[in-house]
Amino acid sequence: MSRAEIASKQAVYTLGLLHAELAGKLLANKRDAIRLRTAMMQVEAVVKMLEPGFNVASIAAKRRNKSNPWFKRGTLFRSAVDVMRRAAVPMTAREIADALVADKAPQATRKQFKDLQAAVLAALRKRDGAMVVSAGAPAHWRLKEAAN
């Protein structure tokens, strides 16, 4: 048996395991979706009992925002500006995020770090030209006072 056949058999086996795991997650999510749908129907029935003419379709779905374990709402951009002031050189969003979580506990997981980096980038882009200025690709950010 050649080496390529062994590698492809291992790959097929591993992909089969991955497929089975994903199918299990899909089934669990379907069960949760059925449970949630049933709960929503029960709430709609109670609303209809209390007010028969109420249009349940007018209720918008609401997502809960996941809180950031290191920064309260509205403080991320201020912290990023502080990091840029201390650095005094243009920085990428990744470098800013690295500096922000360097001394924080608990340590960030990979996903948390990527989310934080995306939040920093969104905050910087929102204020591009007003308080911060970007240049190049990837964007290196600096404070507007330093750009003058």
Side-chain angles (χ1 to χ4, degrees):
M1 189 182 304
S2 70
R3 183 175 171 91
E5 288 179 32
I6 293 173
S8 64
K9 282 183 179 180
Q10 291 171 340
V12 169
Y13 175 74
T14 304
L15 290 171
L17 291 177
L18 178 61
H19 188 276
E21 182 181 342
L22 293 173
K25 286 182 179 181
L26 183 63
L27 284 175
N29 284 333
K30 280 184 181 179
R31 278 188 231 114
D32 284 344
I34 291 169
R35 182 183 54 79
L36 292 172
R37 200 173 299 119
T38 303
M40 284 178 60
M41 287 173 29
Q42 291 169 344
V43 169
E44 291 170 7
V46 172
V47 169
K48 289 286 187 180
M49 286 184 344
L50 296 174
E51 193 173 325
F54 187 79
N55 182 10
V56 181
S58 66
I59 301 173
K62 181 179 178 182
R63 275 189 353 196
R64 297 210 180 234
N65 292 331
K66 292 183 227 169
S67 63
N68 186 321
W70 306 284
F71 302 98
K72 290 184 180 177
R73 186 173 171 89
T75 62
L76 179 65
F77 180 71
R78 283 182 261 157
S79 300
V81 168
D82 288 342
V83 166
M84 291 191 301
R85 278 192 186 119
R86 278 186 257 127
V89 295
M91 301 175 74
T92 64
R94 181 185 180 120
E95 293 168 342
I96 295 169
D98 276 333
L100 287 173
V101 296
D103 57 345
K104 300 285 183 182
Q107 287 296 314
T109 64
R110 180 178 167 88
K111 182 179 181 341
Q112 287 174 327
F113 181 76
K114 290 286 186 186
D115 290 345
L116 179 67
Q117 183 179 341
V120 167
L121 186 58
L124 292 171
R125 284 181 177 162
K126 181 178 178 183
R127 294 163 180 89
D128 192 10
M131 202 167 166
V132 293
V133 179
S134 67
H140 282 75
W141 297 88
R142 63 179 181 243
L143 297 174
K144 190 166 185 179
E145 299 89 36
N148 291 336

